[in-house]
Amino acid sequence: MDLADFLPAYLTEVEELLGIANTQLLALETAAKQRSASPRTVRELFRALHTIKGLSAMVDVEPIVSIAHWMEAALRQADHAGGRVPEDSIEPLMQGLRAIEQRVHQLAAGKPVAGASKGLLDRLEQLDATERGPQGSPAAPARLELEPTLAAKLSTSDQEQLLAGVAAGKRALRLDYVPSADRAAQGLTINTVRERVGQIAEIVKVIPVAGATNGGGNLTFALLLLTREDDAALLEAVGGPPATLRMVASSAPAGPASLPPPTSAESLLNEEEAAAAEPRRSGVLRVEVSRLDEALERLAALVVTRSKLARAVATLTAAGAPTRELVQVLQENARQLRDLRASILHLRMVRVGEVLERLPLLVRGLRRTMGKQVRLEMDVGDAELDKSVADRLQPTLVHLVRNAVDHGLERPDERRAAGKPEEGVLRLACHARSNGRLELTVSDDGQGVDVATVAARAGVPVPATPEELLELMCRPGLSTRASADTTSGRGMGMDIVKRIIVEQLGGELRLETAPGKGTTFSLCVPLTITIVDAFVFECAALRYAVPVSGVEEIIEVDTSRLVHPPGRAGGMAMLERRGQAVPLLSLERLLRRDGGREGPGPKAFVVRQRGMPLAIAVDRLLGQQEIVLRPLEDPLVRVPGVAGATDLGDGQPTLVLDLPALSAARGGGSRLESAAAKGGAA
């Protein structure tokens, strides 16, 4: 087995631990500002860093081990102080976490891992020295007995930890575990070994050693331990032979006077042992995203096959063949596929809270960079969405949050002058809708969008509506800044937000802003975009599909009751929908096809464009079915208003339309607003 075999599991676990560490450190910062103690938070952060250090030693990433060690040391002192951390200690700890994250990302990308910065290590070490008293470094009257190659891989802190453990009466041991395919098949891997040994010993470091082993392999993991457990229990924890055990340090001289009193550091590590003894994440199984993608792809093939089968059965039925039982089997198969689809899609769902968990760190960094006081309030509940949607959504939220802090919220003196609290508020909320969509809002209580300045920078008249203003703000390259800085000013952020939300995800983007009161961006996106329910319909003798989640209603078009606004003969008609005038467009005209029909089709889909209802007439509704949406990735064939293509079972590609985007691309947006302004109640 090669060390690279352990990397995926290492990266997954360390990413999760870094998320925990970030959350705990932010909580610790809040406590430090309030000058309050938070011992539980200190311990949680310590545990995360201690585990990161141990895992990193296992895969031999020494820079991360060093950084995590000195962060641990600072937290030991914080624990000794009853869970109090000086406020000026937070920033070096934050820098330490960022440095670990950078090196983890380098490792994930297959790049060389940068060494630990001496300046950073000095700052972290200083945190430890600042709090440590003269008695903080007990001298251990013991001597390490390690092979030179192994000793060279131990840091000073590792050696101190071993010697201190011996001085406290523990045995310092080297326990060799030899991995193999047979042991892996029995569920015995370095991860499970580490967990089992961690329940009966304090693991100081795990060092991979290449070379021939007793078991016939070429890799050994040397676990350096401190323990009071007997040899038999330790050997059993690693599965017995060919595992070996040996002492690596001489014992301290006997006599109670030579043993130092328990320190807070030892207390923390004992808690770590206790935590390790508890079942970890029971009931949770980590699965690589690529495996879920593969399962979804197999399901997509089954959906298409089911469609082909349905068409074949329909053909037999039309020819008079007895298909009653076959139809029943087909219906049962449809239900089973739908259940399977729900199960697989559920596996791909991630909590929205996980998508947003890094935003507090982003706000913290912006607060420091810009010198603004910002309080982030999040109300994300327990909503979930598909992993592929979450991955695309994340950068849009980063842009909106950055814009809100940079452009929306005022500086403290400006807010005081405006009669507002010095601290601005940035709110982020999300709620799942019943129609399979998720709505997110990013709002601030800042100065609002300066509409005149935006229009002046664009060289156009002042927008009359929020929709026009949003369209202008999303224009590529438009910025109200004279020059770009590290945060904004290149005029690309809102363009990216619109492209992802509207064009890639088929969602909606809306804006509300008021001078002196603030700005709110509302995003509405589908929970999943791969396998969706769709309406299949016909227009100008061709079949199309449209996602059900994007359709508000299907209505009958009564041409005798259509109203044409004055002065617009032959233009957009208006129809009545529950007392409200709704513009009606012909899909045939939008597609620039001639189906030989006079007037609009008899059916119409009601959709939302820029928050306003819009009816789009079609010729015939053929039904509703699950479809596999294949996006048009090639920019040469990508067309505004076409979300992708699908196979309805006949082997022919069918276009899946994004009706609001298609209308906007054909100029329906401006005509819609004009018609709405002239329409009123029909």
Side-chain angles (χ1 to χ4, degrees):
M1 298 186 74
D2 191 79
L3 195 60
D5 296 338
F6 303 101
L7 270 182
Y10 164 80
L11 293 170
T12 301
E13 185 146 5
V14 169
E15 287 281 1
E16 185 177 317
L17 290 165
L18 283 171
I20 294 172
N22 276 318
T23 302
Q24 298 300 330
L25 190 50
L26 285 172
L28 209 54
E29 181 181 40
T30 302
K33 286 181 177 176
Q34 297 170 349
R35 300 182 183 281
S36 61
S38 185
R40 184 181 180 86
T41 304
V42 169
R43 285 172 168 75
E44 291 293 332
L45 180 55
F46 178 89
R47 288 192 186 104
L49 289 167
H50 188 64
T51 309
I52 289 173
K53 186 177 82 169
L55 292 172
S56 302
M58 188 179 73
V59 296
D60 202 18
V61 192
E62 190 57 35
I64 294 179
V65 175
S66 298
I67 297 168
H69 166 73
W70 287 113
M71 293 179 70
E72 267 187 0
L75 291 169
R76 286 171 183 165
Q77 300 308 321
D79 187 67
H80 184 67
R84 295 180 186 277
V85 176
E87 191 173 349
D88 57 4
S89 296
I90 298 296
E91 187 56 31
L93 291 172
M94 280 288 183
Q95 292 172 2
L97 274 188
R98 298 289 79 74
I100 291 175
E101 283 181 334
Q102 289 169 3
R103 281 150 186 81
V104 170
H105 293 160
Q106 289 168 349
L107 196 63
K111 298 178 180 177
V113 177
S117 158
K118 184 176 183 308
L120 174 61
L121 293 182
D122 288 345
R123 285 193 293 278
L124 292 173
E125 187 176 0
Q126 186 61 36
L127 297 181
D128 180 33
T130 302
E131 297 290 332
R132 185 167 52 198
Q135 72 283 7
S137 300
R143 184 168 58 87
L144 290 179
E145 297 167 353
L146 281 169
E147 298 168 15
T149 53
L150 214 58
K153 295 194 174 186
L154 286 185
S155 66
T156 304
S157 61
D158 296 329
Q159 297 178 28
E160 288 178 354
Q161 189 175 351
L162 285 169
L163 293 173
V166 173
K170 294 182 180 179
R171 293 191 301 154
L173 301 171
R174 169 182 170 174
L175 178 60
D176 282 357
Y177 165 69
V178 180
S180 68
D182 289 342
R183 293 189 168 211
Q186 297 169 9
L188 198 63
T189 66
I190 184 59
N191 289 328
T192 56
V193 162
R194 191 176 183 280
E195 190 168 342
R196 293 170 66 173
V197 173
Q199 295 178 19
I200 55 177
E202 176 185 330
I203 301 176
V204 177
K205 194 158 191 171
V206 181
I207 302 175
V209 180
T213 67
N214 293 334
N218 55 10
L219 179 65
T220 301
F221 285 100
L223 289 79
L224 300 182
L225 316 171
L226 287 169
T227 184
R228 293 187 174 90
E229 193 59 67
D230 59 50
D231 292 356
L234 291 167
L235 289 170
E236 185 183 352
V238 294
T244 57
L245 189 65
R246 72 190 83 167
M247 298 280 287
V248 296
S250 59
S251 300
S258 64
L259 299 178
T263 64
S264 60
E266 187 176 356
S267 171
L268 274 172
L269 290 171
N270 288 337
E271 287 197 7
E272 173 68 11
E273 289 178 3
E278 297 175 359
R280 297 176 62 200
R281 290 177 281 280
S282 57
V284 176
L285 174 66
R286 291 196 182 94
V287 179
E288 293 176 22
V289 174
S290 60
R291 295 190 182 188
L292 293 177
D293 289 342
E294 186 179 345
L296 190 61
E297 191 62 28
R298 298 284 185 271
L299 173 64
L302 282 177
V303 170
V304 173
T305 302
R306 199 273 313 274
S307 298
K308 291 178 180 177
L309 185 59
R311 291 179 66 86
V313 171
T315 302
L316 288 174
T317 304
T323 58
R324 183 177 176 181
E325 292 187 10
L326 195 55
V327 169
Q328 291 176 347
V329 171
L330 196 60
Q331 290 172 343
E332 180 63 21
N333 175 255
R335 282 193 292 272
Q336 291 169 345
L337 269 182
R338 184 170 288 275
D339 291 344
L340 181 61
R341 167 197 169 194
S343 297
I344 292 181
L345 291 182
H346 187 67
L347 289 176
R348 293 173 53 86
M349 289 293 187
V350 296
R351 290 191 308 107
V352 178
E354 293 178 13
V355 181
L356 307 179
E357 67 180 5
R358 297 190 66 81
L359 292 183
L361 281 175
L362 173 66
V363 172
R364 181 184 184 277
L366 293 171
R367 197 163 50 206
R368 292 175 56 83
T369 304
M370 300 177 188
K372 294 183 178 180
Q373 296 183 27
V374 186
R375 185 174 75 252
L376 177 62
E377 296 180 353
M378 297 175 64
D379 176 17
V380 297
D382 55 359
E384 296 180 328
L385 76 170
D386 190 281
K387 178 78 169 60
S388 60
V389 178
D391 288 345
R392 298 187 193 188
L393 190 61
Q394 196 162 27
T396 69
L397 295 172
V398 168
H399 284 301
L400 291 176
V401 167
R402 184 180 289 147
N403 280 355
V405 178
D406 192 14
H407 298 287
L409 294 174
E410 311 92 333
R411 297 188 179 282
D413 55 338
E414 295 171 331
R415 292 181 66 88
R416 275 198 311 274
K420 296 180 177 180
E422 291 186 358
E423 185 179 61
V425 179
L426 178 62
R427 293 187 180 86
L428 207 155
C430 80
H431 303 283
R433 288 183 177 178
S434 58
N435 62 353
R437 294 207 154 203
L438 185 78
E439 182 161 324
L440 297 102
T441 57
V442 180
S443 58
D444 64 73
D445 67 343
Q447 58 194 340
V449 178
D450 187 337
V451 183
T453 300
V454 173
R457 294 289 297 181
V460 300
V462 173
T465 65
E467 290 76 22
E468 289 182 0
L469 175 60
L470 180 61
E471 194 70 26
L472 200 57
M473 292 170 64
C474 294
R475 182 180 292 186
L478 178 66
S479 174
T480 55
R481 285 282 177 81
S483 60
D485 57 24
T486 56
T487 305
S488 60
R490 292 181 175 79
M492 300 305 296
M494 288 306 301
D495 175 43
I496 291 172
V497 170
K498 180 188 173 187
R499 278 196 284 116
I500 292 176
I501 297 299
V502 178
E503 298 176 14
Q504 295 182 17
L505 295 178
E508 300 174 52
L509 177 64
R510 299 193 300 276
L511 164 73
E512 295 176 35
T513 185
K517 295 183 178 178
T519 301
T520 297
F521 286 95
S522 300
L523 294 67
C524 187
V525 297
L527 296 177
T528 183
I529 56 173
T530 305
I531 299 178
V532 297
D533 288 317
F535 292 121
V536 181
F537 62 94
E538 196 173 81
C539 180
L542 288 179
R543 285 184 310 162
Y544 301 93
V546 60
V548 170
S549 63
V551 176
E552 199 166 288
E553 187 179 0
I554 299 175
I555 58 176
E556 302 284 340
V557 177
D558 183 352
T559 54
S560 66
R561 302 188 63 181
L562 293 180
V563 175
H564 293 272
R568 299 184 64 87
M572 181 184 294
M574 308 292 290
L575 57 78
E576 180 190 359
R577 178 180 178 242
R578 291 190 284 275
Q580 182 183 15
V582 176
L584 174 68
L585 294 176
S586 167
L587 181 62
E588 186 177 303
R589 288 191 178 186
L590 290 176
L591 295 174
R592 295 171 183 167
R593 292 185 55 80
D594 184 6
R597 170 185 293 279
E598 290 292 334
K603 302 280 187 182
F605 294 113
V606 178
V607 297
R608 288 272 169 182
Q609 186 186 66
R610 300 176 184 174
M612 301 172 65
L614 168 68
I616 296 182
V618 302
D619 292 347
R620 191 157 64 106
L621 184 64
L622 300 177
Q624 176 182 338
Q625 70 178 77
E626 286 180 317
I627 64 167
V628 180
L629 177 59
R630 304 288 188 190
L632 302 178
E633 301 289 356
D634 189 341
L636 295 177
V637 299
R638 194 180 300 161
V639 178
V642 178
T646 190
D647 181 353
L648 297 175
D650 58 358
Q652 299 297 317
T654 298
L655 293 180
V656 181
L657 301 181
D658 179 346
L659 295 177
L662 180 65
S663 169
R666 297 287 187 263
S670 56
R671 285 188 291 150
L672 169 63
E673 287 149 15
S674 175
K678 295 180 179 180

